[in-house]
Amino acid sequence: MNAPNEILQIWIGNGVKKANLPIFKMILLGMAAGVYIGFGAHVFLLATSAAETAFEAGAAKLIGAALFPVGLMLVVLCGGELFTGNNLLVLALMDKKITVPQLLRSWAVVYLANFLGSVLLALLLAKSGLYSGAAGERAAAVALSKTGAPFSEMLIRGILCNMLVVLAVWFQAGAKEMIGKIFAIWFPIMLFVFAGFEHSVANMTYIPLGMILGAEVSIGQFLLSNLLPVTLGNLIGGAVIIPLWYYYSYR
């Protein structure tokens, strides 16, 4: 495996490559990442939709959390640009390998492309026939719960979530074989899902899907009560806390 100081160098190099991608490629790969993370959200909803007792609910949540990481595996190993993972581009900025405008351009384009891919998947899932009955009720309930918590709580959940997401993409860079990368991604992502933390890109599928299926959530509630605090939290956890820890520890 690569040592932490070697992982740092890998991610500085990754940051340079990602920041210099042509806009068209950012959009294509960003939409792909939105779809892949949405696949994880979809299987989590299906896994947790049929539970009736507290024990069943806990077991179903564990199964859903264990399935969700496939989304990030697809992003990292098949190719994709994910806003939350790309928060580590800050490492290349701190190393003066990219500029602030390059960083902000990458984040903005990838974030919007993630949104487009996620909403497109939500539309397709809603029309797939897979959300009749309990699954549809579960999707609507999740959308309501994600827009009903206080701003500060969503902010904190967003911080904790993206600490784990960027640790997962940092972790996998330490592995030199694909199976090692799969396990490195699997456990931190499984942890954040089971813990109930909030991921902005996953919510771009969860909430629109619930809205289409009848959840009484407005666009304003989606954007201001969830996406805004969760995105800010994701930035604090993934673009500030983890990069600062590791840059000043190993550079």
Side-chain angles (χ1 to χ4, degrees):
M1 61 171 283
N2 294 308
N5 62 313
E6 294 173 310
I7 296 173
L8 175 61
Q9 291 301 322
I10 289 169
W11 262 105
I12 290 172
N14 288 344
V16 174
K17 292 174 186 176
K18 289 174 177 291
N20 286 288
L21 277 176
I23 294 288
F24 182 65
K25 287 187 178 181
M26 284 188 190
I27 293 171
L28 285 180
L29 294 172
M31 290 182 66
V35 171
Y36 298 159
I37 297 300
F39 285 154
H42 167 61
V43 294
F44 179 82
L45 289 173
L46 293 187
T48 57
S49 64
E52 295 182 0
T53 67
F55 176 79
E56 288 176 352
K61 187 177 182 181
L62 182 60
I63 293 169
L67 293 170
F68 186 97
V70 173
L72 188 61
M73 292 175 198
L74 293 173
V75 171
V76 173
L77 302 178
C78 297
E81 292 296 315
L82 181 66
F83 168 74
T84 48
N86 283 7
N87 283 180
L88 284 183
L89 268 66
V90 168
L91 294 167
L93 178 68
M94 295 172 72
D95 213 50
K96 299 181 181 179
K97 296 295 193 301
I98 64 173
T99 64
V100 171
Q102 284 179 299
L103 175 72
L104 296 179
R105 181 192 76 146
S106 175
W107 280 355
V109 172
V110 169
Y111 188 87
L112 291 173
N114 289 167
F115 187 89
L116 288 173
S118 300
V119 173
L120 175 62
L121 180 66
L123 288 168
L124 293 173
L125 290 174
K127 301 297 183 181
S128 68
L130 297 171
Y131 282 89
S132 57
E137 294 171 5
R138 172 64 176 157
V142 167
L144 283 170
S145 70
K146 287 181 174 291
T147 53
F151 189 100
S152 60
E153 292 182 5
M154 285 295 174
L155 181 73
I156 292 168
R157 294 178 201 176
I159 293 171
L160 299 174
C161 169
N162 215 33
M163 288 176 66
L164 288 167
V165 172
V166 298
L167 283 171
V169 295
W170 171 281
F171 193 3
Q172 64 80 31
K176 295 183 178 181
E177 296 182 356
M178 184 171 287
I179 189 64
K181 292 180 180 294
I182 287 171
F183 278 104
I185 292 168
W186 194 346
F187 291 102
I189 302 305
M190 182 178 175
L191 193 160
F192 107 64
V193 176
F194 192 78
F197 300 151
E198 292 288 326
H199 187 267
S200 56
V201 178
N203 289 350
M204 294 173 186
T205 295
Y206 279 128
I207 299 175
L209 177 59
M211 291 167 67
I212 296 167
L213 294 171
E216 294 184 3
V217 174
S218 68
I219 294 175
Q221 286 175 306
F222 169 35
L223 298 178
L224 299 178
S225 298
N226 183 276
L227 216 52
L228 176 60
V230 171
T231 301
L232 290 174
N234 288 169
L235 281 168
I236 294 168
V240 179
I241 296 174
I242 299 300
L244 286 177
W245 277 351
Y246 284 123
Y247 190 84
Y248 288 113
S249 294
Y250 295 111
R251 187 65 168 147

